[in-house]
């Protein structure tokens, strides 16, 4: 719902799909031979569980979801289950029921003498499988008592996250068709599997071929979404499987034959090394046409069909700052119903999982004294006769950081409650509000709403309703419209979490990547993965990206720059890091140590602590195998523009550093303006001078300048006291003198 208005797509004839426009009507190749069957084993942890599945009396139903590729079919399968059960359960009336897509697989009966069970194997009929599958575990339990309390700690069963489903899969001989893209190169049914898609590029690929490969990789990264994507690069075709080839007739990998081309071409051809593999060919008669083919693939894939299509350059939309489709707009309140489906706002059970609402935007939000952003919530829950409304609540958090708890209903006294029930006002949604602090909005965040409900005590031996439902109203809103856009850079936390400032324009049309003159395949792989990660943040292919070499920096002086490469073969590192204390000399990295005056200057003007530079210099001075770095600073080519450098002494370390920037578990460790990756992990430092990006109204400048300078604020207060106090003191003394002279006379 946050997508910008659709841009005008050219008609099929413009894309070259009309025979009159030069389309290539190549005959469909024969379907690939069926590959041998393969066996896969997926544990429940690999299918999404963070730990053992705990089923209790108030949460008796849980499950996992998984998919099967469209070009594969399950021929054999079995489930292996292990776990434990409460010793207090009565075997005759307690059980764990296991179903796949509502088809019964088996039942586990608890044994009080042996609380642990398994491994137990259950065969699964292949007919039970669909493209998307739901494996459910339903718990029913009773203990030896006249009355059963569903909240009792005696009612539980646990399914180990090491329990697994084993499947034998066979490949289906589906005919190749561009209309099925991104399949078979990426299948969205694989919910928990990262995309690993090989790219084949010439060893001496020019700027246009690299840009075309980056645009294509960014489109595939968008399809992978939260799964993540990696793009290993080589100059030769893989021995098996699928791959993407970006090439021209002059620079073609060995063994590959191009179809007839009349211009930019997107085609599917068989992998000559593997009859079951396909090659997505993005080609042209020259590098510029190959880049055009990549643009057509990323901007208008719905217009591709058949085996081969000759395309023309689509008209890309004109992007405005901060209008990324996956970011919240900041010019109006946004309803939660625009961000998630209505069905995702409904929950069942007394203790359901949290409702996750994406809260994504650029992190350069500035408000007066860090005032938060209002969240107006409306929600519904069962009334008091079912729930104990005094203790039932909804918890509001942002990415795991607790904000507040809201009672499901304010306590009402008679006769006020009776009057409300007569006119039906007690059936209206409950309204409440919360505030999200600006420092919690860092780019990729979630607003988490979790119902925590407790059943009302209905007396001894009276059943408690099991089918309890609650919901958040889609009309609930979050409002970022009172914020201004301003950030103090360099701040690599902004880059790692939101790609800022490069993602300010979603298509990266103000971004350029500086590659070595002859990059290695590992460096190109790091480049493709980095661009794919930036595009995945904003939800738009990198159609505006520029790629240059160290000798072409002046051509992109007005852009934000990303530098990738090893320190020996990337001379742009030394040139573009002039405004930082990090020094690159040949293959050596060093840190300029602070002088004696810098410590005194920080009393007046904010700057990096000198101790940080000393600590960073010590780390760089100690030789470490696999050392990688990310450094940020202001561009020496244009004031206000940013530079982020990703480098290392070896190509392998460059890839490791780029991979660390894509790892969600390590992103929180990326801070400051210099990050070093060593054998001890990630270390962050603040060493470079800061600069501002964006604009603030005049009345917010004191908040910006004085907020981090308590000494300046103290001096201003002392100065103001002297300016006020000294004239008053002089006036009082003069008055006292006049009064004394009057008495003497």
């Amino acid at each position: 719902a946050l997508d910008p208005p659709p841009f005008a797509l050219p008609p099929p004839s413009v894309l070259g799909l009309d025979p009159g426009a030069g389309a290539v009507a190549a005959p469909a190749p024969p379907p690939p031979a069926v590959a041998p069957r393969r066996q896969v084993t997926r544990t429940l942890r690999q299918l999404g569980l963070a730990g053992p599945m705990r089923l209790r009396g108030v949460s008796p139903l849980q499950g996992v979801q998984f998919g099967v590729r469209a070009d594969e079919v399950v021929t054999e399968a079995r489930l292996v289950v292990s776990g434990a059960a409460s010793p207090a359960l009565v075997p005759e009336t307690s059980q764990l029921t296991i179903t796949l897509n509502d088809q019964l697989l088996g039942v586990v009966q608890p044994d009080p003498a042996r609380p642990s069970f398994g491994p137990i194997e259950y065969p699964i009929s292949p007919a039970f499988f669909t493209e998307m599958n739901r494996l459910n575990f339903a718990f029913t339990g009773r203990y030896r008592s006249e009355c059963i309390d569903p909240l009792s700690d005696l009612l539980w069963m646990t399914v180990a996250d090491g329990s697994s489903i084993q499947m034998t899969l066979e490949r289906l001989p589906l005919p190749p068709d561009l209309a099925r893209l991104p399949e078979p190169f990426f299948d969205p049914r694989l919910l928990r599997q990262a995309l690993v898609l090989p790219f084949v590029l010439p060893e001496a690929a020019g700027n246009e071929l690299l840009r075309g490969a980056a645009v294509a990789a960014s489109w595939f990264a968008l399809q992978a979404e939260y799964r993540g994507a990696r793009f290993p690069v080589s100059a030769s075709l893989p021995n098996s499987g699928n791959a993407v080839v970006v090439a021209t007739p002059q620079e073609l990998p060995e063994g590959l034959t191009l179809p007839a081309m009349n211009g930019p071409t997107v085609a599917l051809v068989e992998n000559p090394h593997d009859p079951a593999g396909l090659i997505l060919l993005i080609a042209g008669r020259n590098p510029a046409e190959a880049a055009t083919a990549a643009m057509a693939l990323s901007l208008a894939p719905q217009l591709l069909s058949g085996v081969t299509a000759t395309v023309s350059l689509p008209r890309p939309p004109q992007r405005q700052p901060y209008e990324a489709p996956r970011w919240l707009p900041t010019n109006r309140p946004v309803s939660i119903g625009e961000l998630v489906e209505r069905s995702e706002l409904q929950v069942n059970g007394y203790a359901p999982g949290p409702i996750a609402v994406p809260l994504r935007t650029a992190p350069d939000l500035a408000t007066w004294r860090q005032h938060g952003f209002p969240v107006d919530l409306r929600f519904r829950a069962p009334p008091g006769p079912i729930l104990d409304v005094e203790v039932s609540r909804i918890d509001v958090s942002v990415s795991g950081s607790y904000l507040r708890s809201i009672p499901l209903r304010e306590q009402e006294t008679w006769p006020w409650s009776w009057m409300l029930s007569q006119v039906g006002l007690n059936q209206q949604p409950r309204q409440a509000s919360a505030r999200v602090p600006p420092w919690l909005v860092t780019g990729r965040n979630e607003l988490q709403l979790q119902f925590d409900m407790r059943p009302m005590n209905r007396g001894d031996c009276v059943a408690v309703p099991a089918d309890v439902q609650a919901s958040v109203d889609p009309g609930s809103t979050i409002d970022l419209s009172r914020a201004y856009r301003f950030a103090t850079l360099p701040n690599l936390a902004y880059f790692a979490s939101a790609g800022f400032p490069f993602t300010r324009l979603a298509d990266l049309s103000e971004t350029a990547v500086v590659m070595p003159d002859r990059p290695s395949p590992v460096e190109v792989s790091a480049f493709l993965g980095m661009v794919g990660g930036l595009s995945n943040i904003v939800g738009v292919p990198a159609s505006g990206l520029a790629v240059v070499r160290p000798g072409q920096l002046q051509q992109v002086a007005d852009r934000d720059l990303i530098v990738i490469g090893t320190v020996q073969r990337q001379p742009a590192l030394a040139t573009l890091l002039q405004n930082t204390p990090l020094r690159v000399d040949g293959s050596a990295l060093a840190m300029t140590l602070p002088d004696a005056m810098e410590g005194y200057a920080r009393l007046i003007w904010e700057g990096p602590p000198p101790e940080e530079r000393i600590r960073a210099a010590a780390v760089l001075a100690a030789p470490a195998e696999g050392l990688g770095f990310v450094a940020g600073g202001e561009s020496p080519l244009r004031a206000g523009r940013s530079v982020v450098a990703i480098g290392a002494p070896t190509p392998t370390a460059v890839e490791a550093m780029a991979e660390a920037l894509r790892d969600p578990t390590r992103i929180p460790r990326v801070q400051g303006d210099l990050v070093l990756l060593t054998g001890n992990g990630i270390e962050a430092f603040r060493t470079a001078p800061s600069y501002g990006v964006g604009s603030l109204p005049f009345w917010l400048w004191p908040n910006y300048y004085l907020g981090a300078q308590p000494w300046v604020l103290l001096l201003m207060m002392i100065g103001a006291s002297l300016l006020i106090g000294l004239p008053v003191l002089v006036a009082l003394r003069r008055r006292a003198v006049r009064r004394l002279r009057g008495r003497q006379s």
Side-chain angles (χ1 to χ4, degrees):
L2 295 179
D3 289 348
F7 57 88
L9 288 173
S13 59
V14 176
L15 278 173
L17 303 180
D18 186 351
V24 178
V34 179
R37 65 174 58 186
R38 67 187 185 100
Q39 293 184 343
V40 297
T41 299
R42 296 285 183 266
T43 64
L44 297 187
R45 177 176 286 273
Q46 292 173 327
L47 296 180
L49 285 187
M53 182 184 294
R54 298 177 176 88
L55 300 117
R56 303 184 62 86
V58 293
S59 55
L61 178 64
Q62 297 184 43
V64 294
Q65 195 172 12
F66 65 96
V68 177
R69 289 180 58 96
D71 57 355
E72 291 183 329
V73 62
V74 179
T75 57
E76 295 180 16
R78 60 178 178 171
L79 178 69
V80 181
V81 180
S82 301
S86 170
L89 294 178
V90 179
E92 294 79 9
T93 55
S94 304
Q95 64 182 22
L96 178 67
T97 305
I98 308 172
T99 60
L100 177 66
N101 299 329
D102 297 327
Q103 302 293 327
L104 179 65
L105 299 185
V107 174
V108 178
Q109 298 286 150
D111 184 357
R114 296 184 57 192
S116 298
F117 60 84
I120 306 174
E121 293 189 8
Y122 297 99
I124 308 176
S125 171
F128 292 173
F129 288 89
T130 63
E131 290 185 350
M132 295 303 302
N133 305 277
R134 182 77 184 182
L135 179 65
N136 279 340
F137 298 85
F139 167 58
T140 302
R142 292 185 65 87
Y143 53 87
R144 298 189 184 278
S145 177
E146 184 177 351
C147 302
I148 302 298
D149 179 9
L151 298 176
S152 172
D153 291 336
L154 299 177
L155 291 178
W156 61 268
M157 289 189 76
T158 300
V159 179
D161 54 354
S163 302
S164 63
I165 183 168
Q166 303 172 6
M167 297 176 290
T168 300
L169 304 172
E170 288 194 10
R171 180 72 62 90
L172 294 175
L174 299 179
D177 189 352
L178 291 170
R180 293 182 55 235
L181 290 175
E183 299 175 8
F185 304 93
F186 166 72
D187 197 310
R189 300 164 187 83
L190 303 181
L191 302 178
R192 303 287 173 180
Q193 186 171 330
L195 170 64
V196 180
L197 181 58
F199 267 65
V200 180
L201 289 165
E203 291 184 355
N207 293 342
E208 287 298 309
L209 282 185
L210 289 178
R211 186 173 73 89
V215 172
S218 69
W219 183 74
F220 278 104
L222 288 181
Q223 315 308 312
E225 296 184 292
Y226 62 89
R227 304 168 183 83
R230 291 180 54 248
F231 306 101
V233 174
S234 69
S236 58
L237 296 175
N239 293 327
S240 62
N242 306 320
V244 177
V245 174
V246 183
T248 62
Q250 298 79 21
E251 301 173 304
L252 200 62
E254 183 179 356
L256 186 65
T257 302
L258 288 179
M261 290 192 302
N262 296 323
T265 301
V266 181
L268 292 173
V269 297
E270 182 182 287
N271 185 345
H273 301 158
D274 179 13
L278 280 179
I279 300 297
L280 176 62
L281 182 62
I282 301 174
R285 293 169 295 186
N286 52 59
E289 287 191 350
T292 298
M295 293 279 287
L297 169 69
S298 63
L299 296 178
Q302 67 276 16
L303 298 182
L304 300 176
S305 63
V307 178
T308 303
T310 301
V311 299
S312 297
L313 181 64
R315 184 170 66 251
Q318 293 296 320
R319 296 289 176 184
Q320 299 299 319
Y322 304 106
E323 66 153 13
R326 292 181 179 173
W327 284 359
L328 272 70
T330 56
N331 57 352
R332 59 178 176 85
V334 181
S335 65
I336 290 179
E338 297 179 53
L339 306 177
V340 295
E341 297 292 336
R342 181 183 294 264
S343 59
E344 298 180 21
L345 300 176
Q346 312 279 338
V347 296
N348 297 282
Y350 289 98
I355 298 172
V357 181
L359 183 60
R360 299 182 177 183
T361 187
D364 60 334
L365 297 173
T367 59
W368 172 253
R369 297 183 63 183
Q370 297 293 295
H371 286 176
F373 307 116
V375 178
D376 295 324
L377 289 177
R378 290 187 289 174
F379 53 89
R380 300 176 186 269
I386 296 177
L387 295 181
D388 187 351
V389 294
E390 293 186 3
V391 296
S392 299
R393 66 185 191 273
I394 180 172
D395 296 328
V396 184
S397 306
V398 172
S399 298
S401 297
Y402 171 81
L403 295 182
R404 64 165 300 192
S405 294
I406 303 170
L408 294 188
R409 190 175 298 277
E410 297 290 351
Q411 190 168 3
E412 299 162 352
T413 58
W414 192 90
W416 181 246
S417 60
W418 178 84
M419 295 172 59
L420 292 177
S421 63
Q422 296 304 308
V423 297
L425 292 180
N426 62 344
Q427 303 299 323
Q428 297 298 318
R430 169 92 164 87
Q431 296 188 13
S433 63
R435 284 191 174 271
V436 179
W439 59 84
L440 288 182
V441 184
T442 59
R444 286 180 281 191
N445 305 99
E446 283 186 344
L447 176 66
Q448 297 162 337
L449 309 172
Q450 185 162 14
F451 285 93
D452 188 355
M453 300 179 285
R454 294 293 181 264
M456 178 69 73
N457 184 5
R458 303 166 66 88
D460 294 337
C461 301
V462 179
V464 175
D467 189 15
V468 177
Q469 297 182 352
S471 66
V472 174
D473 193 281
S476 304
T477 61
I478 180 169
D479 188 2
L480 306 181
S481 59
R482 295 186 179 181
Y484 297 92
R485 294 291 188 177
F486 184 84
T488 301
L489 298 179
N491 189 339
L492 293 177
Y494 289 174
F495 175 73
S497 62
F500 187 82
F502 306 96
T503 50
R504 180 176 171 271
L505 286 177
D507 61 353
L508 306 186
S509 54
E510 290 187 353
T511 298
V513 178
V514 185
M515 296 294 292
D517 288 321
R518 293 188 63 85
S520 67
V522 176
E523 292 170 318
V524 178
S525 177
F527 159 61
L528 298 183
M530 184 272 302
V531 174
L534 295 179
S535 297
N536 188 34
I537 290 172
V538 293
V540 173
S543 57
L545 180 72
V547 179
V548 297
R549 306 305 169 102
Q552 303 168 327
L553 295 180
Q554 291 301 325
Q555 299 178 13
V556 291
D558 59 342
R559 292 183 176 230
D560 297 310
L561 304 177
I562 300 176
V563 190
I564 299 177
T566 57
V567 294
Q568 301 95 329
R569 301 193 301 169
Q570 182 53 285
L573 288 173
T575 303
L576 295 177
L577 294 178
Q578 294 177 9
N579 292 338
T580 72
L582 182 65
R583 293 293 173 257
V584 180
D585 184 10
S587 60
L589 296 172
M591 179 66 58
T592 302
L593 295 178
D595 55 42
M597 297 300 298
E598 291 191 23
Y600 298 102
R602 293 187 68 244
L603 296 177
I604 302 174
W605 191 262
E606 182 185 10
E611 300 82 8
E612 289 285 283
R613 290 167 62 176
I614 296 173
R615 192 165 60 92
V619 175
L620 292 174
E625 185 177 354
L627 173 69
F629 72 90
V630 181
E634 188 175 17
S635 173
L637 306 180
R638 185 69 54 87
R641 288 296 183 181
S642 301
V643 172
V644 169
I646 304 173
T650 63
T652 304
V654 172
E655 172 64 19
M657 191 70 253
E659 184 67 28
L661 293 175
R662 299 192 296 266
D663 186 351
T665 63
R666 292 194 279 183
I667 284 178
R669 301 289 305 276
V670 179
Q671 304 286 335
D673 55 74
L674 176 64
V675 173
L676 299 179
L677 178 65
T678 65
N680 298 325
I682 287 180
E683 295 188 66
F685 308 89
R686 185 178 173 214
T687 63
S690 60
Y691 59 98
V693 173
S695 61
L696 286 175
F698 70 93
W699 50 271
L700 275 182
W701 280 109
N703 183 61
Y704 167 68
Y705 278 116
L706 302 179
Q709 294 292 329
W711 289 104
V712 176
L713 185 60
L714 179 61
L715 291 175
M716 292 179 64
M717 293 175 62
I718 295 174
S721 301
L722 293 175
L723 289 175
I724 297 173
L726 290 177
V728 171
L729 178 62
V730 172
L732 291 176
R733 284 184 174 179
R734 288 179 177 177
R735 183 174 181 180
V737 169
R738 287 194 301 268
R739 185 172 64 249
L740 293 174
R741 288 177 178 175
R743 289 180 180 179
Q744 292 175 357
S745 63

